[in-house]
Amino acid sequence: MSAPGENAAGATTRIPILQAEGITKRFSGLVSVNRVSFEMYENEILGLIGPNGAGKTTLVNMISGTLKPSDGELRFEGQPIDALPPYQRAHLGICRTFQVMKPFPGMSVLENVTVGALFGRGGEKVMAKARRSAREWIDFTGLSHRVDARADSLGGPDRKRLEFAKALAMEPKLLLLDEVMAGLNAVEVEEVIELIKKMRERGVTILVIEHVIKAIRSLSDRVLVLHHGEKIAEGDPAAVLEDPRVVEAYLGRRRQ
Ligand SMILES: Nc1ncnc2c1ncn2[C@@H]1O[C@H](COP(=O)(O)OP(=O)(O)O)[C@@H](O)[C@H]1O
Ligand SMILES: [Mg+2]
């Protein structure tokens, strides 16, 4: 197979970890994602942007397996994954956070992250090992001071840390982040950017959906733009963000 992933980083033999070919989702006749094809390469950060309703979350739902594509094919590490339910994709290493976070509210931070450690790629872990690994990810995300707090007592930024710790405890190869910076202030956004960079340093491949363009610029190796379910641009972040079609897609929305 050829290696079309040569990019600004100068990598020559990058392996696609994810391949999407002609992915389409129709909801009762309306096309939300329309024949989208793209690839992701090991250890890269791909920014996924587009106006509200563009189809970003729907695309991520099809990758994580909570929605079935109407058409098209998804491959992870070269293998078709379309027939696999979400938990089997998680075992392969595809993990996601949710735009609306869903911690187990009555459980502590440690218990929440331990659940992630038990059900992810390291799924054969026994409880003691899962709790140890959970504690490591709680440290990594800067949440150790709240390890025994109930999940529903956490403030916004700590909830985001919990969501990251849960996802990381599943030992993802590919992490899908859906608008994790929504509602954060400038300082908190910086902290999350640093945390995402740290995750990449650990070898994780990351798809970032974000409205905070500064974050997209600072994190992404490449950017993919969806508009009305279609891919309208893909490539180098600076070039894509200046692309007239992309500017118009955003400005067009704002004027409405
Ligand atoms: N379960 C669903 N049933 C019907 N329509 C849906 C469903 N989920 C998403 N949509 C529609 O698909 C389009 C894309 O939505 P979404 O993927 O959430 O966009 P984004 O995340 O880019 O804001 C929207 O028009 C939305 O109303
Ligand atoms: Mg969305």
Side-chain angles (χ1 to χ4, degrees):
M1 188 181 291
S2 67
E6 292 159 42
N7 70 358
T12 47
T13 53
R14 305 184 77 191
I15 306 154
I17 187 166
L18 182 77
Q19 294 164 283
E21 256 181 51
I23 293 298
T24 298
K25 184 67 191 178
R26 293 181 210 95
F27 290 112
S28 53
L30 288 172
V31 185
S32 293
V33 174
N34 197 3
R35 287 174 295 174
V36 171
S37 299
F38 68 100
E39 293 176 335
M40 285 187 71
Y41 297 89
E42 260 178 34
N43 209 212
E44 103 172 315
I45 298 183
L46 178 70
L48 175 57
I49 64 171
N52 280 331
K56 306 181 295 296
T57 298
T58 303
L59 184 58
V60 159
N61 286 340
M62 290 188 282
I63 299 170
S64 68
T66 52
L67 277 179
K68 207 174 153 44
S70 314
D71 212 342
E73 194 184 27
L74 286 165
R75 282 191 293 277
F76 183 70
E77 297 185 317
Q79 304 301 317
I81 54 168
D82 301 281
L84 303 180
Y87 79 91
Q88 281 184 3
R89 297 189 199 196
H91 278 278
L92 290 180
I94 304 175
C95 301
R96 53 108 33 108
T97 60
F98 286 89
Q99 197 170 346
V100 178
M101 283 174 289
K102 300 171 183 166
F104 302 110
M107 285 166 50
S108 74
V109 164
L110 180 60
E111 288 162 345
N112 264 278
V113 181
T114 302
V115 171
L118 284 170
F119 288 98
R121 194 147 61 90
E124 70 287 355
K125 280 195 184 78
V126 292
M127 189 54 109
K129 200 171 165 213
R131 283 170 79 94
R132 251 195 328 274
S133 140
R135 275 189 183 273
E136 280 168 27
W137 292 117
I138 290 167
D139 280 349
F140 183 85
T141 52
L143 204 50
S144 351
H145 61 299
R146 303 300 312 270
V147 69
D148 295 317
R150 272 174 60 126
D152 55 3
S153 75
L154 300 181
D158 281 345
R159 279 198 181 210
K160 308 258 159 158
R161 289 197 182 89
L162 173 58
E163 192 69 10
F164 280 127
K166 270 170 65 180
L168 289 167
M170 297 176 81
E171 297 178 27
K173 290 179 183 169
L174 172 62
L175 184 57
L176 310 165
L177 303 176
D178 194 355
E179 296 199 24
V180 290
M181 296 176 198
L184 297 184
N185 67 32
V187 174
E188 292 157 359
V189 163
E190 268 322 308
E191 285 171 7
V192 171
I193 289 174
E194 289 314 307
L195 192 50
I196 293 172
K197 287 183 178 166
K198 242 170 50 167
M199 294 178 196
R200 187 246 282 276
E201 282 165 20
R202 299 284 294 241
V204 184
T205 307
I206 306 174
L207 186 145
V208 183
I209 297 179
E210 205 46 69
H211 280 304
V212 182
I213 293 298
K214 180 173 160 275
I216 290 291
R217 266 187 213 282
S218 125
L219 285 170
S220 310
D221 299 307
R222 289 188 303 127
V223 172
L224 190 159
V225 188
L226 285 185
H227 186 40
H228 296 313
E230 295 189 10
K231 181 170 87 172
I232 60 164
E234 183 183 16
D236 172 67
V240 164
L241 291 168
E242 279 172 20
D243 184 324
R245 280 173 307 170
V246 175
V247 174
E248 205 195 314
Y250 275 98
L251 292 180
R253 267 285 153 148
R254 245 180 256 154
R255 279 200 210 102
Q256 279 169 13

